[in-house]
Amino acid sequence: MAELSPAWFGALAETTLAAGECAEMAREGDAILPIAVSMRGARGLTAPYTTRYAPMAENVESARALGAKAKTYVRTVLRLDAMDAEDPVTAAFLDGLGQSGLALACYGHFICRREKVSGFTSYWAERPSRLRNTWRRKASAAEKAGAQFTVLRDNFSEAMKLYEAIREASWKGAEPHPGFLPLMVERLGAEGMVRMGLMRLGGEAVAAQIWLVAQGRATIFKLVHRRDHDAYSPGTLLTAVMAAAVLDSDAIAELDFGRGDDPYKRDWAKDCVRRIGVIAANVTTTAGLSVYLREILPMRMMRAMRRQEGENRAASVAFHAAPFLSAPERESKLRQEARA
């Protein structure tokens, strides 16, 4: 995957590390966990750009072994984020981490939107009518204004200059790590993992997008447009053009809209997925014990309280509903309340 490739982690290591940090690779067999290490402890080699983080491992067995040996590379604390607990390799790693002797707690990190796809035609037909109607109206207006669309698969240097110019005229603030995007596009582009789209009106570039594509998965990584052309909905138009160009030609099976559950994304991807974070502490050290007491223990206590509240609500509902529900209905209601 693009975000689990050596080129991706190399770009992060060269452009996003804080003062005092250095990049390391924790290894166990053929499994590798890219981390950033400092006097404060270790963290996953991630940045605000990361939409998915996981060990680089050939199979679940090696990932589990890498987690189980965590005490060998976690001297005080390890902080990981942007993890997909539904991914088999990640789940195996976390299972091993739970058996490593470290104290750990998980938390919700961010929400992302994604959808399984099987070609652009069926994907577009399943979009809400309001989105397709908006596209139809705006595409007609943009065509009359001389709109031009370009989708690039290589030679991104000029497109990146246009991207930066559009970003400066957009609603987005400064990049947290300005050197990352151009280096990442250069490195991953050389491996065929980047697609870029441009929209021009009257010869002026008004919208740009960067997609990451690898092994049947496309992530809409970055998108910007000029605010003074909002009337044409350039983001909507360019996203549809990119989807039409990429889904079929790259045999995409999953479309991912990256970090955040922005309202507009709900029209483009129906599945809501939570990424999680993990804090693991080596309590045999003073620093690790401090993290356990300040962060991990309160998380565990809060989770236990929520679980108890759920059980109490379920018992209360079962008691009050008993005269009115059949046994199977009561059992179903209990399960629903416990999950809540």
Side-chain angles (χ1 to χ4, degrees):
M1 289 176 53
E3 291 183 74
L4 300 180
S5 66
W8 170 271
F9 287 118
L12 285 175
E14 291 182 40
T15 61
T16 68
L17 295 180
E21 287 187 324
C22 64
E24 294 184 4
M25 300 291 173
R27 297 175 182 268
E28 178 63 31
D30 64 4
I32 300 172
L33 187 73
I35 55 177
V37 180
S38 70
M39 294 294 292
R40 298 183 300 276
R43 64 174 180 86
L45 187 51
T46 61
Y49 306 98
T50 303
T51 69
R52 185 175 183 178
Y53 173 81
M56 294 188 289
E58 293 294 328
N59 52 65
V60 296
E61 289 77 14
S62 59
R64 184 176 287 105
L66 178 64
K69 294 294 183 67
K71 265 195 171 182
T72 63
Y73 53 86
V74 179
R75 291 180 288 276
T76 55
V77 61
L78 174 67
R79 300 176 186 274
L80 305 174
D81 58 27
M83 305 191 83
D84 180 2
E86 297 179 4
D87 170 60
V89 167
T90 300
F93 170 78
L94 294 177
D95 180 56
L97 190 64
Q99 302 170 26
S100 67
L102 300 176
L104 64 139
C106 298
Y107 61 92
H109 187 201
F110 62 84
I111 298 293
C112 63
R113 286 269 164 183
R114 69 185 181 191
E115 185 166 335
K116 300 294 183 182
V117 297
S118 57
F120 177 74
T121 300
S122 60
Y123 169 75
W124 188 246
E126 293 173 2
R127 295 313 92 203
S129 59
R130 62 178 175 274
L131 176 61
R132 289 183 282 116
N133 291 336
T134 296
W135 176 86
R136 190 178 299 110
R137 293 195 312 272
K138 300 298 184 178
S140 176
E143 183 180 6
K144 293 175 183 177
Q148 293 179 314
F149 297 90
T150 306
V151 178
L152 301 172
R153 295 173 173 271
D154 52 27
N155 299 321
F156 302 114
S157 57
E158 185 62 30
M160 281 303 299
K161 294 177 183 177
L162 294 173
Y163 172 90
E164 289 297 336
I166 296 168
R167 186 192 60 77
E168 291 178 3
S170 74
W171 72 100
K172 296 195 173 183
E175 291 289 351
H177 304 286
F180 174 73
L181 279 181
L183 183 61
M184 183 276 294
V185 168
E186 177 187 340
R187 298 277 178 83
L188 269 66
E191 299 188 11
M193 296 182 181
V194 176
R195 307 288 181 266
M196 284 195 70
L198 293 170
M199 175 183 173
R200 291 180 172 88
L201 279 174
E204 179 185 29
V206 299
Q209 294 188 10
I210 301 172
W211 288 31
L212 303 181
V213 175
Q215 297 183 357
R217 182 171 180 261
T219 299
I220 302 177
F221 184 68
K222 282 286 183 177
L223 64 171
V224 293
H225 67 266
R226 295 181 61 95
R227 293 305 302 266
D228 51 4
H229 289 78
D230 279 354
Y232 292 100
S233 296
T236 297
L237 296 183
L238 186 53
T239 299
V241 168
M242 289 285 287
V246 172
L247 294 190
D248 292 332
S249 61
D250 289 289
I252 299 302
E254 180 177 283
L255 185 60
D256 191 315
F257 273 76
R259 295 172 76 119
D261 190 22
D262 307 73
Y264 81 89
K265 293 181 180 180
R266 299 169 192 177
D267 287 342
W268 293 94
K270 63 185 178 183
D271 298 325
C272 183
V273 183
R274 182 180 295 275
R275 295 283 187 261
I276 68 166
V278 179
I279 304 175
N282 188 338
V283 296
T284 64
T285 67
T286 301
L289 181 59
S290 177
V291 169
Y292 172 77
L293 294 175
R294 287 196 329 266
E295 300 182 54
I296 295 176
L297 184 58
M299 286 186 190
R300 289 182 171 181
M301 293 175 65
M302 183 63 69
R303 177 168 294 183
M305 290 173 59
R306 289 174 178 170
R307 186 183 303 114
Q308 185 62 50
E309 288 175 359
E311 291 174 356
N312 291 342
R313 285 199 305 271
S316 176
V317 169
F319 175 79
H320 292 291
F324 310 103
L325 299 177
S326 66
E329 288 172 333
R330 286 198 301 273
E331 188 175 332
S332 176
K333 189 69 174 178
L334 278 170
R335 286 198 298 269
Q336 292 175 7
E337 288 297 320
R339 284 197 296 268

